[in-house]
Amino acid sequence: MQARSLAWYLGVCTVLVTLFALVTGAPQRPERMQRMVDAGAEFAAVPIEKAGEVRLHDPSKGHDYYTSTAVVRLAPSAGGPPVTATVPLVTPDRPHPGGKVSVLYAPTHPGLGALAGDEHSLGDALEGATMGTGRVWIVGIAWAAGIALSVVFLFTRRGFRSFSRLGHADMAVRGKCLGPDFWRRDSAEEQCLRIVTVSSRTAHFLVDVAEEHVPASLRGQHLWLCWDARRGAEGRRFSAGVTPAALVSDEGWVMHGMLKDGDAQLLAAEGVSVEKTVAGNAEPRALRLWDPHSAWLLYLPSLALVLAAVLIGCATLLTFDITGVWRWMTGIAGAVTGLALGHVVMNAPYPPVLRPAMSPNDTDRSEAPKRTCT
């Protein structure tokens, strides 16, 4: 469950960061630049013959700059009359006839035109880099931040430990399941299974299950509620307000979840060590993991497949040389589609036909754990 959750979080993060990288990057050199490169393009300072549409820009931050449309003179490498080309310019100084500007052009084929810029502004594109060094760092940092947030989210939702082996520091209490409910505090609300102990104490076993996930036979069923007593209840380990917990049924199944620190402290008074619950048993029982969400592939809605196809289509379009607002619109559409896909998959309706198949009464037996609750 922890590995599947982490894979889901990392997958969402990777899709969003990849879409951002595809939008801000360039899949290949622009077609015009590619023709120049094939013809032996190089940088050169060429004279300006005429400058028109000159405009001064005064940004709130930074230096003033000029934009203009200039006619420049390109000299062929094989001699012959010069060739003129019209290029858009962005310069710190006002352009004027007779001045010089750096451009990229192919001296052997000056008729291909020119691109204004120097090694600093056009160097990455000329080398075929998909994006500049600064953008590479931004994408890398964004992905690293996504990984860190995924780990933090996993810690909050699932904890960092497994209950495949219950240890001496784990505590257990006997209780009865009252069915799905919600843990509420102020405006916060989380899904849970409500457990009541023999001393009438109530605990909220935090797990993403709703009414349709739980068979009727679970209500009123007696089981063991186990939790990590080293975190939360005793406060000796870092805690985010919850501690990993597990429900262990007499019928041979185990469900993983979390327990609020307040509930853990409340139950500590009547809880016993897991080792005491297995004392006197010659053979440990085999348990089977029960997680209704593990069957999500069986009830994946058709809308999810449509959204997945749209997401793949948006990513494919971004590998082509589309520029400007259309590129950003495609990227935004892909990001929205990806988030919608995650929402649809996470909130897919649970078909009633799966409930009998996933009933804890029909669990199989598997390899016995080292320690289990009985």
Side-chain angles (χ1 to χ4, degrees):
M1 181 186 295
Q2 293 173 345
R4 188 170 62 247
S5 298
L6 182 59
W8 177 257
Y9 304 149
L10 291 178
V12 172
C13 163
T14 301
V15 167
L16 295 177
V17 173
T18 301
L19 286 171
F20 174 77
L22 288 172
V23 170
T24 58
Q28 62 271 326
R29 295 190 187 100
E31 182 180 357
R32 187 179 179 190
M33 178 182 286
Q34 185 63 52
R35 291 199 302 267
M36 293 180 186
V37 171
D38 294 339
E42 60 183 44
F43 291 102
V46 297
I48 300 175
E49 288 195 347
K50 183 171 64 175
E53 301 180 6
V54 179
R55 294 182 181 179
L56 172 64
H57 298 266
D58 184 12
S60 57
K61 294 182 179 179
H63 300 286
D64 300 348
Y65 63 94
Y66 291 87
T67 60
S68 63
T69 302
V71 177
V72 297
R73 187 169 66 251
L74 308 177
S77 60
V83 177
T84 60
T86 303
V87 294
L89 295 180
V90 178
T91 56
D93 301 319
R94 185 182 182 89
H96 57 87
K100 289 194 173 184
V101 63
S102 176
V103 298
L104 176 71
Y105 82 105
T108 57
H109 292 79
L112 294 176
L115 296 173
D118 53 17
E119 290 87 348
H120 177 72
S121 59
L122 297 179
D124 290 334
L126 185 62
E127 294 175 1
T130 56
M131 61 178 64
T133 303
R135 291 181 181 178
V136 171
W137 276 101
I138 293 174
V139 171
I141 292 173
W143 192 52
I147 294 176
L149 289 176
S150 297
V151 174
V152 171
F153 198 44
L154 174 68
F155 171 78
T156 304
R157 297 294 300 275
R158 304 294 185 193
F160 277 153
R161 63 153 292 173
S162 169
F163 273 96
S164 59
R165 297 292 186 271
L166 296 175
H168 66 278
D170 297 318
M171 297 191 70
V173 65
R174 191 68 173 167
K176 181 172 67 173
C177 181
L178 300 183
D181 200 351
F182 286 92
W183 175 88
R184 295 181 178 88
R185 177 166 295 176
D186 300 329
S187 59
E189 182 179 274
E190 295 185 49
Q191 286 182 318
C192 70
L193 288 176
R194 193 162 166 236
I195 309 296
V196 62
T197 68
V198 293
S199 62
S200 301
R201 290 187 173 95
T202 300
H204 301 86
F205 182 75
L206 304 178
V207 63
D208 296 329
V209 293
E211 192 74 35
E212 60 270 19
H213 298 142
V214 178
S217 59
L218 185 62
R219 293 182 181 274
Q221 188 174 144
H222 288 83
L223 37 72
W224 287 97
L225 171 59
C226 311
W227 70 93
D228 184 353
R230 292 173 295 174
R231 182 166 62 200
E234 297 183 5
R236 290 204 299 264
R237 297 173 64 186
F238 177 76
S239 172
V242 291
T243 184
L247 289 180
V248 181
S249 167
D250 296 340
E251 298 178 350
W253 57 265
V254 58
M255 177 182 286
H256 296 287
M258 303 290 280
L259 193 66
K260 287 292 182 181
D261 286 352
D263 286 350
Q265 294 170 4
L266 182 67
L267 297 176
E270 61 177 306
V272 296
S273 171
V274 169
E275 289 187 335
K276 293 183 179 180
T277 67
V278 299
N281 291 325
E283 293 291 336
R285 293 182 301 117
L287 298 176
R288 179 187 176 188
L289 175 66
W290 180 39
D291 177 17
H293 293 286
S294 63
W296 65 273
L297 281 174
L298 300 178
Y299 57 94
L300 189 67
S302 58
L303 177 59
L305 301 179
V306 174
L307 292 173
V310 174
L311 177 60
I312 294 173
C314 291
T316 303
L317 285 175
L318 291 173
T319 63
F320 291 92
D321 190 17
I322 56 176
T323 58
V325 67
W326 290 108
R327 190 170 190 83
W328 280 101
M329 288 180 62
T330 303
I332 293 173
V336 172
T337 302
L339 294 175
L341 174 61
H343 175 77
V344 169
V345 172
M346 293 294 292
N347 297 278
Y350 194 78
V353 71
L354 290 180
R355 293 179 62 182
M358 302 207 48
S359 172
N361 293 325
D362 300 326
T363 52
D364 299 330
R365 297 296 184 261
S366 58
E367 182 182 354
K370 187 180 297 182
R371 288 191 183 93
T372 59
C373 296
T374 58

